[in-house]
Amino acid sequence: MTAHPVEAQETGSKLKQVVTGPLLFLFILGDVLGAGIYALMGVLAKEVGGALWVPLVVALLLALLTAGSYAELVTKFPRAGGAAVFAERAFGKPLLSFLVGFCMLAAGVVSAAGLALAFAGDYLGTFLPVPPIPAAIVFLALVALVNARGIQESTRGNVVMTVIEVSGLVIVVVCVAVMLGAGGGDVSRVGAFPEGANPAIATLGAAIIAYYSFVGFETSANIAEEVREPSRVYPKALFGALITAGVVYVLVGLASSIALAPEQLSRSSGPLLAVVSASGVPVPEAVFSLIALVAVANGALLTMIMASRVTFGMAEQHLLPAVLGRTLPKRRTPWVAIVVTTLVAMALTLVGDLSLLASTVVLLLLFVFIAVNVSVLVLRRQPVEHRHFRVWTFVPVLGVASCVLLLTQQEGPVWLAGGIALVVGVVLYFAARLVPSRA
């Protein structure tokens, strides 16, 4: 892979270019780490026993393949809208471009609704017992206000919240290190798969779960238009954040399997809290609840930033009504897109149970990733005037193969839900085109 330095680019964008390299790195890191890791280890323990780090490494490698394609496309075409814009340039099919963007929107808005419900549930109940759905709606409204204030303010808030997220995971690792120093724990568990399990099959099944923990890096493509010198800083921030998250995940996986047996991890709804408790280090439970709240809030903020920028970018490409491309005069943030995506997320919180939709999010994102990997190869025929990052050709090919592999592991109900979402997207596409034609 090659990267070429480039002078600061004037894109003529309506959005404000204020995101620096360090802010972008923390934006991606905060979105990738998210809240999932705080419940991930118990689920993985059911699949691979104490070898928690193995599927995490596999998932990281799979994520890096598609990340390579994003690095080339974002530095080549730094526009809000991400995958939808890439598909439009590559294939010139408005319906396909719309569906790619719609998949991103569906994944982002549903994820934000789920995070809002998680925020308003037991974590918030530790400090303030309130009805979950009203609290989730208020939470999303506050996220929208931060989002509308500006990308610079949003990313600065993300810096603080990402530091808190990482500190919680560091606490886990340090506590288990203290436990080991005192002669506790069992290091032999880190390579032990469940009795009778095929390590390769178990790792593949767990890698699908672990892959979800790396999802989030793709959202950074939707703020490329607000990044200073994207051709220079984007690849470094993207790969640096993914690798950093991978290292943190592996360390947490090792610590978890050393501190607790797989059976104990799998039974816990808060496995990392159980790990810290098992270490014997006196860390108050309220501290971890607060850290979890921050992690959830950060994930929701970054997800809604992505959703609003996808909506704005699709409006700019005439894939959605032009009104969604309106920005605040001074803040230069896409306020109409922010309002609409927030209202949809609020409506989804009324569903309450989003477990099936969460699995559908992964399915929809895999379709997006396939489109991105293919777009890289197609757009090699469209040179640009500025220099940009270029990924090795075999990387997007392997990226497509990895997505197809993960798709084969999805269950029937998830495919049904994904199909329904795509049908809704097709209906919205044609409905949007009937309105202007009648006018």
Side-chain angles (χ1 to χ4, degrees):
M1 291 180 281
T2 57
H4 307 279
V6 63
E7 296 81 11
Q9 295 166 239
E10 283 294 334
T11 62
S13 171
K14 293 194 295 183
L15 302 178
K16 194 174 181 181
Q17 286 74 49
V18 294
V19 180
T20 62
L23 283 177
L24 181 61
F25 168 82
L26 290 170
F27 179 98
I28 300 171
L29 182 63
D31 211 357
V32 170
L33 288 179
I37 188 64
Y38 288 90
L40 179 68
M41 295 306 162
V43 180
L44 289 179
K46 295 179 182 178
E47 301 286 335
V48 293
L52 299 171
W53 62 275
V54 179
L56 290 167
V57 171
V58 172
L60 172 61
L61 295 176
L62 293 177
L64 285 171
L65 294 174
T66 297
S69 295
Y70 268 97
E72 177 167 337
L73 289 173
V74 168
T75 56
K76 193 174 184 180
F77 307 109
R79 290 289 183 217
V85 174
F86 305 149
E88 172 66 19
R89 286 181 177 272
F91 309 112
K93 304 292 184 183
L95 177 58
L96 177 61
S97 304
F98 178 87
L99 288 177
V100 170
F102 182 78
C103 286
M104 287 292 298
L105 276 174
V109 174
V110 172
S111 294
L115 288 171
L117 288 171
F119 183 93
D122 293 338
Y123 292 132
L124 182 61
T126 302
F127 305 97
L128 184 66
V130 291
I133 292 179
I137 292 175
V138 172
F139 168 71
L140 286 171
L142 294 175
V143 168
L145 290 176
V146 177
N147 191 0
R149 181 167 176 79
I151 190 67
Q152 191 171 24
E153 288 79 1
S154 299
T155 50
R156 284 175 177 171
N158 168 64
V159 170
V160 177
M161 290 189 284
T162 298
V163 170
I164 294 173
E165 285 181 49
V166 175
S167 67
L169 300 177
V170 170
I171 288 172
V172 174
V173 176
V174 171
C175 286
V176 176
V178 172
M179 180 184 189
L180 273 175
D186 187 352
V187 179
S188 66
R189 285 196 290 254
V190 301
F193 285 85
E195 185 177 352
N198 183 307
I201 295 176
T203 297
L204 178 60
I208 299 168
I209 302 169
Y211 189 81
Y212 183 75
S213 68
F214 287 98
V215 166
F217 67 87
E218 75 284 349
T219 64
S220 60
N222 301 291
I223 65 165
E225 204 166 333
E226 297 164 271
V227 175
R228 296 176 185 172
E229 301 181 89
S231 293
R232 183 176 64 84
V233 306
Y234 185 83
K236 296 177 182 178
L238 177 62
F239 295 125
L242 271 176
I243 293 171
T244 300
V247 170
V248 172
Y249 284 167
V250 168
L251 290 175
V252 171
L254 291 170
S256 299
S257 58
I258 290 171
L260 287 174
E263 297 78 17
Q264 293 173 290
L265 280 173
S266 62
R267 286 197 301 265
S268 174
S269 60
L272 295 191
L273 181 58
V275 168
V276 173
S277 299
S279 71
V281 179
V283 177
E285 290 189 6
V287 171
F288 249 81
S289 294
L290 181 59
I291 290 173
L293 281 175
V294 171
V296 171
N298 196 30
L301 173 61
L302 299 181
T303 299
M304 290 307 292
I305 290 174
M306 176 276 292
S308 61
R309 270 51 176 190
V310 169
T311 304
F312 169 84
M314 291 176 70
E316 290 287 282
Q317 294 293 317
H318 310 293
L319 298 171
L320 284 175
V323 66
L324 293 169
R326 291 183 181 178
T327 58
L328 291 173
K330 293 183 179 180
R331 293 290 173 181
R332 296 171 71 181
T333 52
W335 72 272
V336 178
I338 291 171
V339 170
V340 171
T341 52
T342 300
L343 289 176
V344 174
M346 288 177 173
L348 284 172
T349 61
L350 301 177
V351 175
D353 182 9
L354 295 174
S355 58
L356 177 60
L357 291 177
S359 298
T360 307
V361 166
V362 178
L363 181 73
L364 295 173
L365 285 179
L366 288 173
F367 286 129
V368 173
F369 293 166
I370 289 174
V372 168
N373 283 305
V374 174
S375 295
V376 169
L377 302 175
V378 174
L379 290 173
R380 292 275 171 88
R381 300 195 298 262
Q382 295 184 23
V384 293
E385 294 181 359
H386 64 272
R387 293 184 176 183
H388 60 85
F389 182 89
R390 183 183 173 94
V391 72
W392 294 311
T393 302
F394 71 84
V395 172
V397 174
L398 290 178
V400 172
S402 68
C403 291
V404 171
L405 176 64
L406 293 174
L407 283 173
T408 62
Q409 305 301 309
Q410 299 290 352
E411 299 179 350
V414 178
W415 279 100
L416 178 61
I420 293 172
L422 290 175
V423 169
V424 171
V426 172
V427 171
L428 289 176
Y429 172 81
F430 287 107
R433 270 137 192 80
L434 285 174
V435 172
S437 66
R438 289 176 179 172

